[in-house]
């Protein structure tokens, strides 16, 4: 029979949830930028899986689909000087961090993406595919 031991934590566990007034007080530009990052990251991940299905990713294609919100939300309070160390399936964390870095005022989905955003996406994709245009040059 398994043994159970009660754990007494030094701090209480609590659930934090947003209220209607929290949503009302949120900056619409921030929420729009967050949604843009979520969509960009999700689309990127889907594209990587499509490339892998077609044999164009030389190695495993680890997806982080479904974890975009955690990446975007956890990166939100960080600055360009802060570092992130992702380990497994870290594309979403990396993209959230670098998109916030290259577009510190946020991404407006009603405008064409900047050259910096496009360059980051292309270079990240090249890295995953093991191409010279990637960060590690293949």
């Amino acid at each position: 029979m398994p043994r159970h031991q009660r754990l007494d934590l030094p701090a209480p566990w609590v659930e934090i949830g947003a209220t209607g007034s929290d949503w009302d007080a949120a900056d619409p530009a921030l929420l729009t930028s967050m949604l843009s990052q979520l969509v960009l990251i999700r689309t990127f991940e889907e594209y990587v899986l499509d490339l892998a299905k077609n044999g164009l990713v030389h190695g495993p294609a680890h997806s982080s689909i479904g974890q975009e919100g955690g990446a975007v939300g956890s990166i939100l309070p960080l600055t360009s000087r802060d570092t992130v160390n992702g380990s497994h399936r870290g594309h979403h964390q990396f993209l959230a961090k670098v998109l916030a870095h290259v577009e510190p005022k946020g991404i407006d989905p009603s405008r064409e993406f900047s050259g910096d955003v496009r360059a980051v996406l292309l270079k990240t994709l090249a890295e995953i595919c093991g191409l010279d245009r990637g960060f590690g040059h293949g």
Side-chain angles (χ1 to χ4, degrees):
M1 165 124 315
R3 181 178 61 88
H4 294 266
Q5 180 176 344
R6 179 173 158 71
L7 300 177
D8 293 315
L9 304 174
W13 284 55
V14 297
E15 179 182 353
I16 299 173
T19 65
S21 60
D22 292 326
W23 286 106
D24 292 340
D27 177 13
L30 174 65
L31 297 177
T32 300
S33 182
M34 290 174 69
L35 179 61
S36 297
Q37 284 192 21
L38 288 167
V39 171
L40 275 172
I41 293 168
R42 178 62 170 257
T43 303
F44 182 91
E45 291 287 324
E46 289 172 348
Y47 191 65
V48 167
L49 291 178
D50 191 45
L51 289 174
K53 184 175 71 175
N54 290 307
L56 298 172
V57 175
H58 308 291
H62 297 292
S63 171
S64 59
I65 288 178
Q67 301 173 37
E68 303 90 344
V72 172
S74 65
I75 297 300
L76 188 64
L78 301 181
T79 69
S80 291
R81 292 181 56 203
D82 295 313
T83 59
V84 173
N85 182 24
S87 57
H88 183 65
R89 300 181 186 179
H91 311 148
H92 61 309
Q93 296 163 336
F94 172 77
L95 287 173
K97 180 72 166 80
V98 75
L99 289 171
H101 172 74
V102 298
E103 293 290 345
K105 294 184 179 181
I107 297 173
D108 181 351
S110 67
R111 296 186 176 176
E112 192 168 322
F113 296 127
S114 72
D116 287 340
V117 167
R118 291 176 180 278
V120 160
L121 294 172
L122 180 60
K123 197 165 187 162
T124 305
L125 188 59
E127 178 69 17
I128 292 168
C129 291
L131 301 175
D132 184 51
R133 294 173 86 179
F135 296 99
H137 301 287

